[in-house]
Amino acid sequence: MAESGEWVMNAAGRMVPTVIDGKRYRPFGGAFTSKPDGRKHAPRLRTHTREESKLCASLEDAIRKSGLSDGMTISFHHHFRNGDKVLNMVLDACEGLGLKDLRIFPSAMFPVHEPVVEHIKKGTVNRIEGSMNGPIGAYVSTGEKLAEPAVLRSHGGRARAIEDGDVKIDLAFIGAPCCDDYGNANGLYGPSACGPLGFSVHDSRFADCVVMITDNLVSYPCTPMTIEQGNVDYIVKVDSIGDPEGIVSGTMKITKSPARLLIANHIVEFIRQSGRFENGFSFQAGAGGISLAVTKFLGDLMRKTGVKASWAMGGVTKFLVDLLEEGLVGKLLDGQAFDLEAIRSLRENVNDVEISPGHYANIHSKGCAVNKLDFAFLGATEIDLDFNVNVNTHSDGILLHGIGGHQDVAAGSGITFIAAPLMRGRLPIIVDRVTTVSAPGETVDVIVTERGIAINPRRKDLIERFKDSALPIRAIEELYEEAIRLAGAVPKKPKLGDDVVALIEFRDGSLLDVVRKVLPTG
Amino acid sequence: MAESGEWVMNAAGRMVPTVIDGKRYRPFGGAFTSKPDGRKHAPRLRTHTREESKLCASLEDAIRKSGLSDGMTISFHHHFRNGDKVLNMVLDACEGLGLKDLRIFPSAMFPVHEPVVEHIKKGTVNRIEGSMNGPIGAYVSTGEKLAEPAVLRSHGGRARAIEDGDVKIDLAFIGAPCCDDYGNANGLYGPSACGPLGFSVHDSRFADCVVMITDNLVSYPCTPMTIEQGNVDYIVKVDSIGDPEGIVSGTMKITKSPARLLIANHIVEFIRQSGRFENGFSFQAGAGGISLAVTKFLGDLMRKTGVKASWAMGGVTKFLVDLLEEGLVGKLLDGQAFDLEAIRSLRENVNDVEISPGHYANIHSKGCAVNKLDFAFLGATEIDLDFNVNVNTHSDGILLHGIGGHQDVAAGSGITFIAAPLMRGRLPIIVDRVTTVSAPGETVDVIVTERGIAINPRRKDLIERFKDSALPIRAIEELYEEAIRLAGAVPKKPKLGDDVVALIEFRDGSLLDVVRKVLPTG
């Protein structure tokens, strides 16, 4: 239970333990210092004859056949986002079978997964590796301690952890909108179509056992084959695996806030003046009001100037699909769908191309797509004077979001913008020291607020290029001081205990920060 | 050099050594007896930053950077078939760099690769794992012995050998008709378009180092991504990697021989009466005059009866593409293109779906496509009274063909037909004992000749079903005796030495047969 081992200061200036519950951790040593020299985890060899059937009578039947036992690790994908029914369904079945102390390894969780809290309290689940949005994050931050600290990883970091063998999956559950009786599956068709299914590709390849859960069993062969038969053990047909409407769980409207629109305009103008805005450029957009506005304004700029992007990534939204279909963006590399238009596009557009998170962002590969990005615009809950970015905890210290692709994109992209208003309500977003480091400052290039733009001093090239720009370039210290002035005082820090409730892994597997228990105030 | 170890009789009735050049071999124990319990080979972990370039100035530059040294194993794919320029180009470069004793591991070789013989004589190459069509086969059968016997594997067996770690590839060379500067590649576009590129998928995933050789460097990202950037180390641009016309190297015309047309008609009639000819059936077609005729006649039968196939596999030809485009076949699972129409189809038809040989036929997976086949029609150079099939050597004992998918399809398919004329010239095709066992008799169901059809006695279900059929069902012994009668005498066996020049692996890695040196006659 208790962490132990020496605590050291890592390259992001954070004190981190070197041993936690007997597991040795490498302190974060810099974003580009990992030089892996081992070999990948090796999945099991299996065989299968034409006489055997993979179809199971029920989820319980599949779990029994899989040999799942107490203490094992089960994995999930999050393509259904807040419309997912699989994770809750599986944990209910595990509870019914009397299984205990499972470690869950979802690629992300959402408010719909609040029942996990009950499964923790009952002992079905005792460890979490994966992001904890909403109620589960709040429980982990303030409730009874898990058997081991939760581990948060970026999308690329999760793929890496599977390939490197850091997390060995005993049983992967894959919700499949379209699946045949041999396990070939995709997310394109059916009542629960979710678009890409890439987040389960690594699970399917590396897990000891793989169970497909589908509400749409189609005739062999199901194509395209995002998941391949050769990796699948069992298949279960259920009534419904997800609600596609729940996929649209984040903000899908362009911001109307004048301050946020100004931020979006600043980013697009910065891109225009950057020297990299030319035919063939690339960018990563995301969801959230500011990011959607940047995508739209960037489209306006492309239309005006005739400059076209060769490709873009995102969570894909209608705004990216519009640019693709208008011919302003040549291709989309598509890791997840954020709205229904994105699902339609993946089905219809040959240049909307599904990729896995490893292809997207695994640092322990011979090259991932984030390395080819020219521009990326990301968000933050806090930014500090060292350009460190927090996306996991709020200023009250409570875990509320996953890392997503943030760390990966920040490290890979040519210019990484962090878009954030200087204040949220009365809270400054730029602080002296972030509560949690989610992405190290060395990977963050430009902070864009409505009251000014701060360039990371490491980016001497950008500072030089923008020294005569009409854009409001300012030192981050100035922005910080202005934020404090507007807030009226330096904001109070949350009251944190000694207990480490979660670890923030860097994408290379090193330890970037720890998240501590939040103590009751007052 | 010398083989050693005990010789034992395997389940195909062949004497095989248990140790060869220090390597231990499991004798073939039956087609469905392999129960692998280990783990796959684990590829290396690597990392790559956005600043590094994968582009090399020349092939020699790429080979140098790869660290290739004497005695290592290099691999190739055969999608260009007899139009391939890559294998010869690479061996010339290796010779120029003074490299010696390389083991080559092509997925197949063709007459165009005759220069390999010179590279063997000069010492650049001293071992071969892969099929040896034409002149190389003749050299291996009759010339100086290689440092180790050559190893022939089926397509699925080669994928298995890579995944299981039986063959560790130091350096994979992948000729890529369409490739970006990060290594994403496909075979669909460009002056050397070859269609699928699946035979190099396993090489790319498991080799320690991967070099893409392309004559068509396209802007990032090259899609679809049959080969993925995360597996690629280096990229070389050359003038030309292949001649697509050379892909059409086998017989691509329907036979005009009345005897062979009769065989094709027998097969189609057998299928019709089999009880499995119903909507949703599946089949594997191939090239060669009889197989093409079967495909065409099967199309006629489908048109007449209204029965449609859900899917088919092949080497894909115009004849399969026609059935797909007419809607008689729902989907093609596409491992290789045998003509230019097949290449066009893979580019244009969303239901023409590229698969890797592992997906196709790796017995050490959780299921491969051959297991889902209802019917397959294959060829033979010899068939014996135990239904063993030879496709590798001719009756003179000389290696002339690879195994291809033969073993895999025979083992997987519901009904496996071997189509062959009873005589080729004055030579009987049905013999007492095949020169070489390429596919064991237990996996072969029906022998179809122009003078009768022999059902394997193991298939009691088929014997029962066809006991009143008007088809000329006969015992294989009768066909054998008729062949001898027609030939005028039992044909002379080739004069073989003691030296083992090649091994025939079964798809599970066990030893099915050995090929011996052919001694000069007279």
Side-chain angles (χ1 to χ4, degrees):
Chain A
M1 273 286 294
E3 351 18 281
S4 58
E6 194 189 355
W7 285 64
V8 295
M9 182 173 287
N10 71 15
R14 294 285 158 149
M15 292 302 292
V16 292
T18 51
V19 180
I20 301 163
D21 298 320
K23 271 187 261 181
R24 183 161 293 279
Y25 269 86
R26 186 164 45 90
F28 171 71
F32 307 101
T33 56
S34 178
K35 295 275 173 258
D37 60 358
R39 289 188 177 266
K40 293 188 188 186
H41 178 53
R44 280 196 177 153
L45 292 172
R46 283 289 183 263
T47 191
H48 200 266
T49 65
R50 61 179 289 123
E51 287 73 24
E52 298 168 79
S53 169
K54 296 185 181 185
L55 293 172
C56 297
S58 66
L59 183 52
E60 286 75 9
D61 183 34
I63 294 172
R64 263 188 230 106
K65 284 180 175 158
S66 77
L68 185 67
S69 61
D70 293 353
M72 282 188 169
T73 298
I74 58 179
S75 80
F76 303 91
H77 73 73
H78 75 277
H79 285 289
F80 300 114
R81 302 180 67 81
N82 206 42
D84 177 58
K85 298 180 183 173
V86 170
L87 195 152
N88 293 341
M89 185 192 305
V90 167
L91 291 187
D92 287 347
C94 290
E95 189 197 337
L97 291 167
L99 289 159
K100 295 284 175 196
D101 298 340
L102 298 172
R103 176 167 68 159
I104 59 172
F105 183 42
S107 55
M109 285 192 288
F110 290 83
V112 71
H113 299 120
E114 184 163 3
V116 168
V117 172
E118 283 309 303
H119 287 296
I120 294 170
K121 290 180 182 167
K122 289 177 188 160
T124 312
V125 171
N126 74 345
R127 288 154 298 155
I128 297 175
E129 310 237 346
S131 78
M132 281 152 295
N133 302 31
I136 304 165
Y139 178 78
V140 168
S141 290
T142 60
E144 284 300 302
K145 216 177 155 187
L146 297 173
E148 292 173 5
V151 183
L152 278 72
R153 296 183 179 86
S154 69
H155 292 329
R158 183 179 188 274
R160 183 209 58 73
I162 296 171
E163 295 211 1
D164 290 12
D166 288 3
V167 181
K168 289 180 183 126
I169 304 170
D170 295 297
L171 179 53
F173 291 97
I174 300 179
C178 188
C179 183
D180 65 34
D181 69 352
Y182 225 31
N184 298 298
N186 65 58
L188 296 179
Y189 305 98
S192 305
C194 62
L197 211 51
F199 275 103
S200 48
V201 165
H202 300 271
D203 304 49
S204 77
R205 288 192 184 152
F206 287 86
D208 278 352
C209 186
V210 174
V211 172
M212 306 300 289
I213 304 178
T214 188
D215 51 12
N216 182 32
L217 202 58
V218 300
S219 67
Y220 185 90
C222 171
T223 60
M225 302 161 173
T226 305
I227 304 299
E228 293 194 75
Q229 61 197 17
N231 299 320
V232 173
D233 294 87
Y234 301 110
I235 300 155
V236 187
K237 171 86 164 60
V238 298
D239 288 337
S240 174
I241 55 173
D243 170 12
E245 296 292 334
I247 289 173
V248 193
S249 51
T251 309
M252 278 304 136
K253 292 213 170 111
I254 287 183
T255 180
K256 288 183 177 159
S257 142
R260 287 173 163 79
L261 288 170
L262 184 58
I263 292 169
N265 270 312
H266 279 343
I267 291 176
V268 172
E269 183 55 24
F270 198 104
I271 288 173
R272 195 185 66 77
Q273 296 179 24
S274 69
R276 291 167 177 243
F277 180 68
E278 56 192 12
N279 270 325
F281 82 99
S282 61
F283 65 98
Q284 160 128 11
I290 299 177
S291 184
L292 297 178
V294 176
T295 305
K296 186 167 182 307
F297 297 163
L298 197 55
D300 295 339
L301 181 65
M302 288 193 266
R303 240 170 256 119
K304 205 168 81 182
T305 57
V307 170
K308 291 181 181 179
S310 55
W311 62 284
M313 290 198 289
V316 175
T317 63
K318 176 186 186 309
F319 298 91
L320 273 182
V321 171
D322 286 347
L323 296 181
L324 176 73
E325 295 187 340
E326 196 181 333
L328 294 173
V329 168
K331 292 182 181 181
L332 299 182
L333 297 186
D334 195 336
Q336 54 181 323
F338 280 170
D339 61 22
L340 303 183
E341 271 295 279
I343 299 171
R344 178 194 64 76
S345 171
L346 189 63
R347 208 155 42 211
E348 294 181 4
N349 289 312
V350 69
N351 286 324
D352 187 337
V353 182
E354 185 169 356
I355 58 169
S356 71
H359 189 94
Y360 171 54
N362 182 357
I363 188 176
H364 288 177
S365 75
K366 294 170 180 173
C368 50
V370 294
N371 288 351
K372 301 292 276 183
L373 283 169
D374 290 317
F375 308 110
F377 15 104
L378 305 170
T381 58
E382 294 177 326
I383 306 155
D384 72 20
L385 296 173
D386 294 325
F387 286 75
N388 295 313
V389 172
N390 177 11
V391 294
N392 296 119
T393 55
H394 278 206
S395 54
D396 60 7
I398 291 180
L399 276 165
L400 273 175
H401 303 284
I403 299 171
H406 198 293
Q407 265 179 10
D408 304 306
V409 171
S413 178
I415 302 180
T416 299
F417 298 95
I418 304 296
L422 196 59
M423 313 286 291
R424 280 199 180 92
R426 295 186 55 83
L427 278 177
I429 299 305
I430 298 185
V431 296
D432 58 342
R433 206 171 148 71
V434 287
T435 310
T436 305
V437 179
S438 309
E442 65 171 303
T443 65
V444 169
D445 300 307
V446 185
I447 309 295
V448 185
T449 74
E450 75 281 18
R451 291 177 178 263
I453 298 170
I455 300 175
N456 191 327
R458 291 163 176 267
R459 291 304 297 264
K460 294 195 177 63
D461 59 327
L462 294 177
I463 288 171
E464 175 63 23
R465 180 163 193 103
F466 281 83
K467 68 175 192 281
D468 301 320
S469 169
L471 282 168
I473 311 289
R474 301 172 65 185
I476 194 162
E477 291 78 8
E478 286 179 59
L479 293 176
Y480 168 68
E481 280 154 26
E482 181 161 345
I484 300 298
R485 204 160 52 240
L486 289 167
V490 175
K492 274 200 292 191
K493 298 278 179 187
K495 202 171 159 192
L496 301 177
D498 285 337
D499 277 354
V500 172
V501 297
L503 311 176
I504 308 293
E505 263 195 29
F506 190 61
R507 59 198 296 250
D508 63 4
S510 64
L511 195 48
L512 185 57
D513 206 350
V514 298
V515 178
R516 291 177 186 273
K517 181 162 184 161
V518 178
L519 301 178
T521 48
Chain B
M1 271 289 289
E3 334 47 82
S4 57
E6 193 190 353
W7 285 64
V8 295
M9 182 172 288
N10 71 17
R14 295 285 158 150
M15 292 301 294
V16 292
T18 51
V19 178
I20 301 163
D21 298 320
K23 270 187 262 182
R24 182 160 292 280
Y25 268 87
R26 187 162 43 89
F28 171 71
F32 307 101
T33 56
S34 177
K35 295 276 174 257
D37 61 357
R39 288 188 178 267
K40 295 189 186 184
H41 178 54
R44 280 196 177 151
L45 292 172
R46 284 287 183 264
T47 190
H48 199 266
T49 65
R50 60 179 290 123
E51 287 73 25
E52 297 167 79
S53 171
K54 296 186 180 184
L55 293 172
C56 297
S58 66
L59 183 51
E60 287 75 8
D61 183 33
I63 294 172
R64 262 188 229 104
K65 284 179 176 158
S66 76
L68 186 67
S69 61
D70 292 355
M72 281 188 171
T73 297
I74 59 180
S75 79
F76 303 90
H77 73 74
H78 74 276
H79 285 289
F80 300 114
R81 303 180 65 82
N82 206 42
D84 177 56
K85 299 180 182 173
V86 170
L87 195 152
N88 293 340
M89 183 191 306
V90 167
L91 290 187
D92 287 347
C94 289
E95 188 196 340
L97 291 168
L99 288 159
K100 294 283 177 200
D101 298 338
L102 297 174
R103 176 167 67 159
I104 60 172
F105 183 42
S107 55
M109 285 193 288
F110 290 83
V112 69
H113 299 121
E114 185 164 3
V116 167
V117 172
E118 283 309 303
H119 286 296
I120 294 171
K121 290 179 181 168
K122 288 177 189 160
T124 313
V125 171
N126 74 344
R127 287 154 298 156
I128 297 176
E129 310 237 348
S131 79
M132 280 153 295
N133 302 32
I136 304 166
Y139 178 79
V140 169
S141 289
T142 59
E144 284 299 302
K145 214 175 153 187
L146 297 172
E148 292 173 6
V151 183
L152 277 72
R153 296 183 179 87
S154 68
H155 291 329
R158 182 178 189 274
R160 183 209 57 73
I162 296 171
E163 295 211 2
D164 290 11
D166 288 2
V167 181
K168 288 181 183 127
I169 305 170
D170 295 299
L171 179 53
F173 292 96
I174 300 178
C178 187
C179 183
D180 66 35
D181 69 352
Y182 225 30
N184 298 299
N186 64 58
L188 297 179
Y189 306 98
S192 306
C194 60
L197 212 50
F199 275 102
S200 47
V201 165
H202 299 271
D203 304 48
S204 77
R205 288 193 185 153
F206 286 87
D208 279 353
C209 187
V210 174
V211 172
M212 306 301 290
I213 304 179
T214 189
D215 50 12
N216 183 31
L217 202 58
V218 300
S219 68
Y220 185 91
C222 171
T223 60
M225 302 162 173
T226 305
I227 305 299
E228 293 193 75
Q229 61 196 17
N231 299 318
V232 173
D233 294 87
Y234 301 111
I235 299 154
V236 187
K237 172 85 165 61
V238 299
D239 289 338
S240 175
I241 55 173
D243 170 13
E245 297 292 334
I247 288 174
V248 193
S249 52
T251 309
M252 279 303 135
K253 291 210 172 115
I254 287 182
T255 180
K256 287 185 182 161
S257 144
R260 287 173 163 79
L261 288 172
L262 184 59
I263 293 170
N265 269 314
H266 279 342
I267 291 176
V268 172
E269 184 55 25
F270 198 103
I271 288 174
R272 195 185 66 77
Q273 295 179 23
S274 70
R276 292 169 178 243
F277 180 68
E278 54 191 13
N279 269 325
F281 84 100
S282 60
F283 65 98
Q284 161 127 11
I290 300 178
S291 184
L292 297 179
V294 177
T295 305
K296 186 166 180 308
F297 297 163
L298 197 54
D300 295 340
L301 181 65
M302 288 194 266
R303 242 171 255 118
K304 204 169 81 182
T305 56
V307 169
K308 292 181 180 179
S310 54
W311 61 285
M313 291 199 287
V316 175
T317 64
K318 175 186 187 310
F319 299 91
L320 273 183
V321 171
D322 285 348
L323 296 182
L324 176 73
E325 295 187 341
E326 196 182 332
L328 294 173
V329 168
K331 292 181 181 181
L332 299 182
L333 297 187
D334 196 337
Q336 55 182 323
F338 281 169
D339 61 21
L340 303 183
E341 271 295 278
I343 299 170
R344 178 195 63 77
S345 171
L346 188 62
R347 207 154 44 211
E348 293 181 4
N349 288 313
V350 69
N351 286 325
D352 187 338
V353 181
E354 185 169 357
I355 58 169
S356 72
H359 189 93
Y360 171 52
N362 182 357
I363 188 176
H364 288 178
S365 74
K366 295 171 181 171
C368 51
V370 294
N371 288 350
K372 301 293 273 183
L373 283 169
D374 290 316
F375 308 109
F377 13 105
L378 306 169
T381 58
E382 293 178 327
I383 305 155
D384 72 20
L385 296 174
D386 295 326
F387 286 76
N388 294 313
V389 172
N390 178 11
V391 294
N392 296 120
T393 53
H394 278 207
S395 54
D396 60 6
I398 291 180
L399 276 165
L400 273 176
H401 303 284
I403 299 172
H406 199 292
Q407 265 180 8
D408 305 307
V409 171
S413 179
I415 301 180
T416 299
F417 298 95
I418 304 296
L422 196 60
M423 313 286 293
R424 281 201 181 92
R426 296 185 54 84
L427 277 177
I429 299 306
I430 297 185
V431 296
D432 59 341
R433 210 173 144 73
V434 288
T435 310
T436 307
V437 180
S438 309
E442 63 170 307
T443 64
V444 169
D445 301 307
V446 185
I447 310 294
V448 185
T449 74
E450 76 282 16
R451 292 179 177 262
I453 299 171
I455 300 175
N456 192 326
R458 293 166 175 267
R459 290 303 299 264
K460 295 194 177 64
D461 58 327
L462 294 178
I463 287 171
E464 174 63 21
R465 182 166 193 99
F466 282 83
K467 67 174 192 281
D468 301 320
S469 170
L471 282 167
I473 310 290
R474 301 172 67 185
I476 194 161
E477 291 77 10
E478 288 179 57
L479 294 175
Y480 169 68
E481 279 154 24
E482 181 161 346
I484 300 298
R485 203 161 52 237
L486 289 167
V490 175
K492 274 199 293 192
K493 300 278 177 185
K495 201 169 159 194
L496 302 177
D498 286 337
D499 277 354
V500 171
V501 298
L503 310 177
I504 308 293
E505 264 195 28
F506 190 61
R507 59 199 296 250
D508 64 2
S510 65
L511 195 49
L512 184 58
D513 206 350
V514 298
V515 178
R516 290 176 187 277
K517 183 162 183 161
V518 177
L519 302 177
T521 48

